[in-house]
Amino acid sequence: MPLYFKHRQLVLPGELLAEGNYVPSGAAYAEGNRIYASAVGLAELREKNVVHVIPLSGVYIPRVGDIVIGKVVEVTVTGR
C-alpha cells in the first residue's frame, strides 16, 4: 500500500497519491484501488488509511469541532 506524497505536500489535480486500501477524503477521489487529487491542495494521511487533500482555494465548509476566530461587528434582529 504505497503512498506517493509526503505530509502536507502540494499536489495537483489528477496526481496519483496512493495505491491500495485507502479511503479518499476532501479533494481526493478513488478509481479502483488508486487515490487521486481532484484539486490543487495539501495532501495528508489521516488516521491509518484516509488520504485527505486540503484544497488551497474555494469556500470554507465548516465541520463539527472546527475552531473559528472572528469579531462581531454588528448585531441585528432577523425577525425569524
Side-chain angles (χ1 to χ4, degrees):
M1 294 190 342
L3 289 174
Y4 300 111
F5 64 91
K6 294 179 183 173
H7 183 69
R8 295 281 172 109
Q9 177 180 326
L10 183 65
V11 295
L12 302 174
E15 188 171 336
L16 177 62
L17 303 176
E19 288 182 283
N21 190 25
Y22 291 102
V23 177
S25 174
Y29 65 95
E31 282 189 3
N33 69 340
R34 293 179 174 187
I35 306 293
Y36 297 92
S38 63
V40 175
L42 303 175
E44 63 183 18
L45 183 63
R46 292 187 173 177
E47 300 169 17
K48 291 185 179 181
N49 68 335
V50 177
V51 175
H52 185 80
V53 175
I54 304 165
L56 293 183
S57 66
V59 298
Y60 167 69
I61 301 171
R63 294 182 1 198
V64 174
D66 286 357
I67 297 173
V68 179
I69 300 173
K71 179 179 178 182
V72 176
V73 295
E74 184 178 356
V75 178
T76 62
V77 178
T78 62
R80 294 182 190 190

